[in-house]
Amino acid sequence: MLSLSNLNSFYGRSQALHDVSMSAPSGTILAVLGRNGVGKTTLLRSILGLTDRQSGDVVLDGQNISADATYRRARAGIAYVPQGRMIIPDFTIRENILMGGFAAQGPRAIPEIVPKIFPYLMENLDRPGGVLSGGQQQQLAIARALASGPKVLLMDEPTEGIQPNIVEQIEDIIIRLNAELGLTILLVEQNVKFARRAAQNFTMLENGRVVADGAIADLTEETVTKHMAI
C-alpha cells in the first residue's frame, strides 16, 4: 500500500531523514517508534511532501507520488492527524470535519462512521472546536482526516496530552478504524504497550535513520531500551 525507498528529507540545509526505507502493507498498522526528536514527525510530513526538499521514492498503491504536490498526495488517499491536533478553534465541529473533505474524491460530507465512533461530535456539530477538551479535539482531528476518504492515515502521537480516562478510548478507536474500514495506519507513538497491542509491524528511528524494523512480535525489550530509554 505505502512504501518508502531511500527517502532523504531536508529543512533548509539540515538533513532530517537519511535513506529511510519502510513499507506498510494494505490494511495494517505500522508503529513508528523512537525518542523525541529522531525524525518521526518529519517522516510523516515527508510522506505528505511538507518538508523543504526530498529525494527517494514514496509509492502509494504502486504509484510513485514523490514528485506530487501535497494536495495531490492528499487526493491520492493520504490523510494526516498531526501532533497537537491543529483544529481551527473558531470553526464549528461541522466546519472542521467538512474542511477535511476538500481532499475527497466526491462531495464533502461527514463520514458514515463518525456518528458511530464519535457520538458527542454529532450531538454538538454547531459548537466551536475551540471549546472542546483535548480528547474531544483529538476525536475531531480524526473525524476531519476521515472526511477525505483516505486509504492511509498518518497519526502523530494521537494520545499525547489527552486526559488518562480518554486515552484508552482513542486507542480502541484507532484499532477499530483499522479493523472496520481496512485503513492502513502509520502510527507514531511513544507508548510501546499500545504499539504492541495495535500494530502488526514496527519501524524504529534514531537520528533520522531506520535502526530496527520487523513484525511487532519481534520488538524486544532490548531494542526498546536501546533506542527509547532516556
Side-chain angles (χ1 to χ4, degrees), residues 31 33 187 189 191-200 216 219:
L33 306 171
L187 176 67
E189 188 54 73
N191 185 336
V192 175
K193 182 179 178 181
F194 172 46
R196 285 193 167 116
R197 182 164 76 96
Q200 290 79 42
I216 198 70
L219 176 61

Side-chain angles (χ1 to χ4, degrees), residues 25-48:
S26 180
T28 64
I29 298 178
L30 172 66
V32 181
L33 306 171
R35 297 183 182 93
N36 289 331
V38 300
K40 302 187 302 297
T41 295
T42 296
L43 172 68
L44 301 188
R45 290 176 55 81
S46 298
I47 291 170
L48 274 171

